[in-house]
Amino acid sequence: MSTISENLRVVEEGITSACVTAGRPRNSVQLIAVSKTMSNELIAEAITAGLIHFGENKVQEITAKQPAFHGQIRWHLIGHLQSNKAKKALPCCHLLHTLDSVELGRQVDRISGELGIKTRALLQVNISNDDAKYGLSPEDTAATLTELSNKHSQYLEIIGLMTIPVFEEDLEKTRRHFAHLRELRDHLAVSTGLPLPELSMGMSHDYQIAIEEGATLVRVGTSI
Ligand SMILES: *Cc1c(COP(=O)(O)O)cnc(C)c1O
């Protein structure tokens, strides 16, 4: 068995057992393989092992890797999007995880309209209020969502929230950050009437507790 398919089997078991613990169906969680350091050969191996959803931090990496795979991959942009890259990024992006300002959202809406596409996105929230460079503060998220909701954006659809919490030695602290993102989502869904079904949270070391706290999209790199 190749290393990737063996690693994938372990991650798959981890996802399944977290789903059982949480009493959630396995198909409520989508694994996104983070391929930011993977060569095309390794990505091809991962596709053979059954993966379709891949995450990249950089637009250039998606546009460079994409032609080799002829539409076999659904690309997730999980790194910061600079507005001058939006035109290149949006056509190849299955889901944008890192919308973090009204200004960027307006640009994404406008450019999607020009391209004749719809763009689905998540609002990135700096849930642990650390000094991370990117992400909305939890307090600003409601206003941003209202400003960018369907009434104002024809081509942009916000379908949930994403977070990268500050690293904690203690996984129970990380769990609290994940729970806060879920609570924020629940609160926003009620106050705005938008369904916001997706929660992108959890990486190699904490995807199981993320699933226990409601993650629907886990972004796993190192473990695969
Ligand atoms: C690299 C990266 C991941 C994957 O992290 P691992 O610890 O390698 O699983 C997930 N999310 C984002 C935003 C990343 O940049």
Side-chain angles (χ1 to χ4, degrees), residues 34 36 57 78-79 98 162 164 202-205 219-223:
V34 178
K36 63 192 174 201
N57 282 53
I78 61 174
T98 52
M162 175 271 208
I164 310 168
M203 319 198 324
S204 287
H205 68 289
R219 313 177 304 266
V220 179
T222 321
S223 296

PDB file of all heavy atoms in Angstrom, residues 34 36 57 78-79 98 162 164 202-205 219-223, ligand 1:
ATOM      1  N   VAL A  34      -5.041  19.079   2.159  1.00  0.00           N
ATOM      2  CA  VAL A  34      -4.268  20.300   1.925  1.00  0.00           C
ATOM      3  C   VAL A  34      -2.986  19.918   1.193  1.00  0.00           C
ATOM      4  O   VAL A  34      -2.134  19.212   1.729  1.00  0.00           O
ATOM      5  CB  VAL A  34      -3.980  21.030   3.244  1.00  0.00           C
ATOM      6  CG1 VAL A  34      -3.129  22.266   2.988  1.00  0.00           C
ATOM      7  CG2 VAL A  34      -5.294  21.422   3.916  1.00  0.00           C
ATOM      8  N   LYS A  36      -0.654  21.932  -0.199  1.00  0.00           N
ATOM      9  CA  LYS A  36       0.216  23.097  -0.434  1.00  0.00           C
ATOM     10  C   LYS A  36       1.691  22.753  -0.639  1.00  0.00           C
ATOM     11  O   LYS A  36       2.400  23.524  -1.241  1.00  0.00           O
ATOM     12  CB  LYS A  36       0.035  24.151   0.644  1.00  0.00           C
ATOM     13  CG  LYS A  36       0.420  23.736   2.033  1.00  0.00           C
ATOM     14  CD  LYS A  36      -0.085  24.785   3.034  1.00  0.00           C
ATOM     15  CE  LYS A  36       0.158  24.307   4.440  1.00  0.00           C
ATOM     16  NZ  LYS A  36      -0.688  24.951   5.424  1.00  0.00           N
ATOM     17  N   ASN A  57      -3.146  27.264  -0.240  1.00  0.00           N
ATOM     18  CA  ASN A  57      -3.060  28.605   0.340  1.00  0.00           C
ATOM     19  C   ASN A  57      -2.922  29.686  -0.705  1.00  0.00           C
ATOM     20  O   ASN A  57      -3.259  30.833  -0.453  1.00  0.00           O
ATOM     21  CB  ASN A  57      -1.814  28.711   1.215  1.00  0.00           C
ATOM     22  CG  ASN A  57      -1.996  28.067   2.539  1.00  0.00           C
ATOM     23  OD1 ASN A  57      -2.375  26.911   2.585  1.00  0.00           O
ATOM     24  ND2 ASN A  57      -1.770  28.803   3.595  1.00  0.00           N
ATOM     25  N   ILE A  78      -7.734  28.226   0.843  1.00  0.00           N
ATOM     26  CA  ILE A  78      -7.755  28.316   2.306  1.00  0.00           C
ATOM     27  C   ILE A  78      -6.760  29.343   2.826  1.00  0.00           C
ATOM     28  O   ILE A  78      -6.614  29.509   4.021  1.00  0.00           O
ATOM     29  CB  ILE A  78      -7.495  26.925   2.951  1.00  0.00           C
ATOM     30  CG1 ILE A  78      -6.114  26.390   2.549  1.00  0.00           C
ATOM     31  CG2 ILE A  78      -8.595  25.941   2.557  1.00  0.00           C
ATOM     32  CD1 ILE A  78      -5.737  25.094   3.262  1.00  0.00           C
ATOM     33  N   GLY A  79      -6.053  30.018   1.902  1.00  0.00           N
ATOM     34  CA  GLY A  79      -5.148  31.099   2.302  1.00  0.00           C
ATOM     35  C   GLY A  79      -5.764  32.442   1.946  1.00  0.00           C
ATOM     36  O   GLY A  79      -6.758  32.507   1.210  1.00  0.00           O
ATOM     37  N   THR A  98     -11.775  32.086   2.889  1.00  0.00           N
ATOM     38  CA  THR A  98     -11.068  33.146   3.603  1.00  0.00           C
ATOM     39  C   THR A  98     -11.573  34.558   3.303  1.00  0.00           C
ATOM     40  O   THR A  98     -10.784  35.491   3.243  1.00  0.00           O
ATOM     41  CB  THR A  98      -9.565  33.063   3.267  1.00  0.00           C
ATOM     42  OG1 THR A  98      -9.415  33.045   1.836  1.00  0.00           O
ATOM     43  CG2 THR A  98      -8.934  31.811   3.851  1.00  0.00           C
ATOM     44  N   MET A 162     -15.291  29.947   8.756  1.00  0.00           N
ATOM     45  CA  MET A 162     -14.035  29.205   8.823  1.00  0.00           C
ATOM     46  C   MET A 162     -13.169  29.829   9.905  1.00  0.00           C
ATOM     47  O   MET A 162     -13.227  31.039  10.140  1.00  0.00           O
ATOM     48  CB  MET A 162     -13.340  29.303   7.463  1.00  0.00           C
ATOM     49  CG  MET A 162     -11.967  28.680   7.377  1.00  0.00           C
ATOM     50  SD  MET A 162     -10.604  29.795   7.797  1.00  0.00           S
ATOM     51  CE  MET A 162      -9.296  29.084   6.814  1.00  0.00           C
ATOM     52  N   ILE A 164      -9.047  29.450  11.929  1.00  0.00           N
ATOM     53  CA  ILE A 164      -7.768  28.822  12.280  1.00  0.00           C
ATOM     54  C   ILE A 164      -7.462  29.332  13.686  1.00  0.00           C
ATOM     55  O   ILE A 164      -6.950  30.431  13.845  1.00  0.00           O
ATOM     56  CB  ILE A 164      -6.633  29.270  11.332  1.00  0.00           C
ATOM     57  CG1 ILE A 164      -7.041  29.117   9.865  1.00  0.00           C
ATOM     58  CG2 ILE A 164      -5.341  28.508  11.646  1.00  0.00           C
ATOM     59  CD1 ILE A 164      -6.082  29.815   8.889  1.00  0.00           C
ATOM     60  N   GLY A 202     -10.517  22.651  11.923  1.00  0.00           N
ATOM     61  CA  GLY A 202      -9.827  21.411  12.222  1.00  0.00           C
ATOM     62  C   GLY A 202      -8.749  21.110  11.200  1.00  0.00           C
ATOM     63  O   GLY A 202      -8.991  21.218   9.997  1.00  0.00           O
ATOM     64  N   MET A 203      -7.534  20.795  11.701  1.00  0.00           N
ATOM     65  CA  MET A 203      -6.395  20.441  10.867  1.00  0.00           C
ATOM     66  C   MET A 203      -5.848  19.102  11.401  1.00  0.00           C
ATOM     67  O   MET A 203      -6.524  18.439  12.177  1.00  0.00           O
ATOM     68  CB  MET A 203      -5.347  21.553  10.905  1.00  0.00           C
ATOM     69  CG  MET A 203      -5.998  22.923  10.855  1.00  0.00           C
ATOM     70  SD  MET A 203      -5.023  24.371  10.400  1.00  0.00           S
ATOM     71  CE  MET A 203      -3.435  24.108  11.080  1.00  0.00           C
ATOM     72  N   SER A 204      -4.640  18.742  10.969  1.00  0.00           N
ATOM     73  CA  SER A 204      -4.147  17.396  11.312  1.00  0.00           C
ATOM     74  C   SER A 204      -4.238  17.060  12.802  1.00  0.00           C
ATOM     75  O   SER A 204      -4.640  15.967  13.166  1.00  0.00           O
ATOM     76  CB  SER A 204      -2.695  17.231  10.845  1.00  0.00           C
ATOM     77  OG  SER A 204      -2.659  17.106   9.444  1.00  0.00           O
ATOM     78  N   HIS A 205      -3.844  17.998  13.656  1.00  0.00           N
ATOM     79  CA  HIS A 205      -3.741  17.628  15.067  1.00  0.00           C
ATOM     80  C   HIS A 205      -5.062  17.762  15.834  1.00  0.00           C
ATOM     81  O   HIS A 205      -5.166  17.307  16.964  1.00  0.00           O
ATOM     82  CB  HIS A 205      -2.640  18.440  15.767  1.00  0.00           C
ATOM     83  CG  HIS A 205      -2.970  19.898  15.903  1.00  0.00           C
ATOM     84  ND1 HIS A 205      -2.988  20.748  14.818  1.00  0.00           N
ATOM     85  CD2 HIS A 205      -3.310  20.635  16.984  1.00  0.00           C
ATOM     86  CE1 HIS A 205      -3.319  21.959  15.238  1.00  0.00           C
ATOM     87  NE2 HIS A 205      -3.516  21.922  16.536  1.00  0.00           N
ATOM     88  N   ARG A 219      -9.616  20.438   7.186  1.00  0.00           N
ATOM     89  CA  ARG A 219      -8.503  20.721   6.258  1.00  0.00           C
ATOM     90  C   ARG A 219      -7.257  19.997   6.771  1.00  0.00           C
ATOM     91  O   ARG A 219      -6.624  20.458   7.719  1.00  0.00           O
ATOM     92  CB  ARG A 219      -8.259  22.224   6.197  1.00  0.00           C
ATOM     93  CG  ARG A 219      -9.536  23.069   6.020  1.00  0.00           C
ATOM     94  CD  ARG A 219      -9.190  24.559   6.054  1.00  0.00           C
ATOM     95  NE  ARG A 219      -8.495  24.956   7.248  1.00  0.00           N
ATOM     96  CZ  ARG A 219      -9.061  25.447   8.352  1.00  0.00           C
ATOM     97  NH1 ARG A 219     -10.359  25.650   8.419  1.00  0.00           N
ATOM     98  NH2 ARG A 219      -8.315  25.775   9.398  1.00  0.00           N
ATOM     99  N   VAL A 220      -6.924  18.887   6.155  1.00  0.00           N
ATOM    100  CA  VAL A 220      -5.859  18.044   6.677  1.00  0.00           C
ATOM    101  C   VAL A 220      -4.703  17.949   5.690  1.00  0.00           C
ATOM    102  O   VAL A 220      -4.900  17.545   4.545  1.00  0.00           O
ATOM    103  CB  VAL A 220      -6.410  16.637   7.031  1.00  0.00           C
ATOM    104  CG1 VAL A 220      -5.288  15.757   7.559  1.00  0.00           C
ATOM    105  CG2 VAL A 220      -7.538  16.741   8.047  1.00  0.00           C
ATOM    106  N   GLY A 221      -3.512  18.345   6.136  1.00  0.00           N
ATOM    107  CA  GLY A 221      -2.324  18.292   5.285  1.00  0.00           C
ATOM    108  C   GLY A 221      -1.344  17.240   5.744  1.00  0.00           C
ATOM    109  O   GLY A 221      -1.276  16.138   5.195  1.00  0.00           O
ATOM    110  N   THR A 222      -0.585  17.574   6.803  1.00  0.00           N
ATOM    111  CA  THR A 222       0.517  16.739   7.284  1.00  0.00           C
ATOM    112  C   THR A 222       0.131  15.265   7.452  1.00  0.00           C
ATOM    113  O   THR A 222       0.914  14.383   7.108  1.00  0.00           O
ATOM    114  CB  THR A 222       1.009  17.273   8.660  1.00  0.00           C
ATOM    115  OG1 THR A 222       0.983  18.703   8.599  1.00  0.00           O
ATOM    116  CG2 THR A 222       2.412  16.818   8.954  1.00  0.00           C
ATOM    117  N   SER A 223      -1.039  14.993   7.983  1.00  0.00           N
ATOM    118  CA  SER A 223      -1.411  13.597   8.270  1.00  0.00           C
ATOM    119  C   SER A 223      -1.657  12.773   7.021  1.00  0.00           C
ATOM    120  O   SER A 223      -1.764  11.553   7.107  1.00  0.00           O
ATOM    121  CB  SER A 223      -2.666  13.550   9.153  1.00  0.00           C
ATOM    122  OG  SER A 223      -2.393  14.124  10.398  1.00  0.00           O
TER     123      SER A 223
HETATM  124  C1  LIG B   1      -1.605  24.135   6.049  1.00  0.00           C
HETATM  125  C2  LIG B   1      -2.991  24.391   6.434  1.00  0.00           C
HETATM  126  C3  LIG B   1      -3.816  23.348   6.895  1.00  0.00           C
HETATM  127  C4  LIG B   1      -3.319  21.922   7.100  1.00  0.00           C
HETATM  128  O1  LIG B   1      -2.531  21.854   8.229  1.00  0.00           O
HETATM  129  P1  LIG B   1      -1.916  20.445   8.729  1.00  0.00           P
HETATM  130  O2  LIG B   1      -1.529  20.721  10.125  1.00  0.00           O
HETATM  131  O3  LIG B   1      -0.776  20.153   7.826  1.00  0.00           O
HETATM  132  O4  LIG B   1      -3.006  19.445   8.609  1.00  0.00           O
HETATM  133  C5  LIG B   1      -5.130  23.648   7.199  1.00  0.00           C
HETATM  134  N1  LIG B   1      -5.622  24.900   7.065  1.00  0.00           N
HETATM  135  C6  LIG B   1      -4.868  25.915   6.621  1.00  0.00           C
HETATM  136  C7  LIG B   1      -5.470  27.266   6.503  1.00  0.00           C
HETATM  137  C8  LIG B   1      -3.534  25.696   6.299  1.00  0.00           C
HETATM  138  O5  LIG B   1      -2.793  26.729   5.880  1.00  0.00           O
END
